[in-house]
Amino acid sequence: MASLCRSAASLLKPRAAPAVRSAVRLCSSGARYEYILVEKRGERSNVGVIQLNRPAALNALCDGLMKEVGRALDAFEVDGDVGAIVITGSDRAFAAGADIKEMQNLNFQDCYSGNFLAHWNRVSTVTKPVIAAVNGFALGGGCELAMMCDIVYAGEKAQFGQPEILLGTIPGSGGSQRLTRAVGKSLAMEMVLTGDRINAHEAKQSGLVSKVYPVDQLVSEAVKCGEKIASNSKLVSAMAKEAVNAAFELTLAEGNRLEKRLFHATFATDDRREGMAAFVEKRKASFQDK
């Protein structure tokens, strides 16, 4: 939620953004994005990519940026061509934290009555699979944003941390909860209480990320994973995602019951029939997402 870097840039001098890409892109509704770049990638343009783009602030998560991320996710959610989504930042910072300058003067009444940060959770409610491609700093809110995604890939120089304690507060967008579920109580408690970071390989070893790649290959590998996912039935992928997410909320018996019902539900789909027919006939399945 917070950043080790005060305004996410006060202790670390950012590099200039690449000149070859515009900081403003049009979304499907025609509205402009100020803080993110949005495009579709992959051979079939079936992977949505959201790139955080506040280079001067190391992609600090201001409220405007998170609202734009929500809008982009909404657009990809209803785009029938998109089967997976990648969220990334720059080579230097996925997101170095929340924008401390923006929240510095808030009081309890402001936070409580306005349910501060509530809409930041949109990433975790998207039905389509979301992959975080994390290069550089993923601190505070940046770490929380990565953990809201379904799959986390890291570049070799990535760093993860929840340094809110150093600013006199605690994580506020799920950091204490998702981190504990990902890495276990001891490491999560150590990171939250000390503000210490872990590197990409420690994050993989602890279960926070699934794969580590060279910095220059990270996003393309995340897109490849998205293409694999998008080649399957979007309908059944949503069911599979629901089943896996339920493991964090339900008892084993309840989770097994939900999984069984979702498994049964696939037998009402054309894609299940096509998938099994293709297997028996030794050909590639052609899913129609219904």
Side-chain angles (χ1 to χ4, degrees), residues 40 45-48 75-77 79-85 128 230 234:
K40 292 196 283 189
S45 296
N46 56 4
V47 179
F76 284 143
E77 187 83 300
D79 188 329
D81 294 328
V82 172
I85 301 164
K128 293 180 180 180
K234 298 179 184 65

Side-chain angles (χ1 to χ4, degrees), residues 248-269:
F248 293 99
E249 306 289 341
L250 306 175
T251 66
L252 179 60
E254 291 168 335
N256 280 335
R257 280 194 289 272
L258 175 63
E259 179 190 80
K260 192 73 70 182
R261 292 296 175 258
L262 290 169
F263 168 69
H264 291 162
T266 66
F267 281 74
T269 69

Side-chain angles (χ1 to χ4, degrees), residues 140-197:
C143 187
E144 290 171 314
L145 178 61
M147 291 189 293
M148 290 180 200
C149 299
D150 303 303
I151 298 169
V152 184
Y153 282 2
E156 291 177 325
K157 297 181 180 180
Q159 296 184 41
F160 298 84
Q162 297 291 160
E164 289 86 353
I165 197 76
L166 304 178
L167 303 179
T169 186
I170 68 170
S173 289
S176 64
Q177 304 303 300
R178 291 190 176 94
L179 187 63
T180 304
R181 286 165 169 77
V183 306
K185 177 183 176 182
S186 182
L187 180 55
M189 193 71 80
E190 180 182 17
M191 291 173 67
V192 169
L193 293 180
T194 66
D196 288 348
R197 310 171 190 175

Side-chain angles (χ1 to χ4, degrees), residues 77-148:
E77 187 83 300
V78 298
D79 188 329
D81 294 328
V82 172
I85 301 164
V86 172
I87 299 179
T88 191
S90 66
D91 288 353
R92 190 150 190 247
F94 177 73
D99 194 326
I100 304 307
K101 289 182 178 179
E102 189 175 71
M103 68 176 71
Q104 180 180 4
N105 295 320
L106 295 178
N107 58 30
F108 168 76
Q109 290 86 347
D110 296 328
C111 294
Y112 190 81
S113 61
N115 200 9
F116 184 47
L117 302 183
H119 63 280
W120 288 34
N121 202 47
R122 178 66 180 110
V123 177
S124 66
T125 63
V126 176
T127 61
K128 293 180 180 180
V130 183
I131 305 162
V134 178
N135 268 323
F137 302 107
L139 307 177
C143 187
E144 290 171 314
L145 178 61
M147 291 189 293
M148 290 180 200

Side-chain angles (χ1 to χ4, degrees), residues 181-236:
R181 286 165 169 77
V183 306
K185 177 183 176 182
S186 182
L187 180 55
M189 193 71 80
E190 180 182 17
M191 291 173 67
V192 169
L193 293 180
T194 66
D196 288 348
R197 310 171 190 175
I198 59 174
N199 62 37
H201 295 288
E202 290 169 326
K204 183 179 186 303
Q205 185 177 23
S206 67
L208 183 59
V209 308
S210 57
K211 290 182 180 176
V212 177
Y213 290 103
V215 171
D216 60 349
Q217 297 177 24
L218 174 67
V219 175
S220 62
E221 291 295 337
V223 171
K224 286 180 184 177
C225 177
E227 288 183 286
K228 284 184 181 180
I229 293 170
S231 69
N232 298 320
S233 165
K234 298 179 184 65
L235 180 62
V236 178

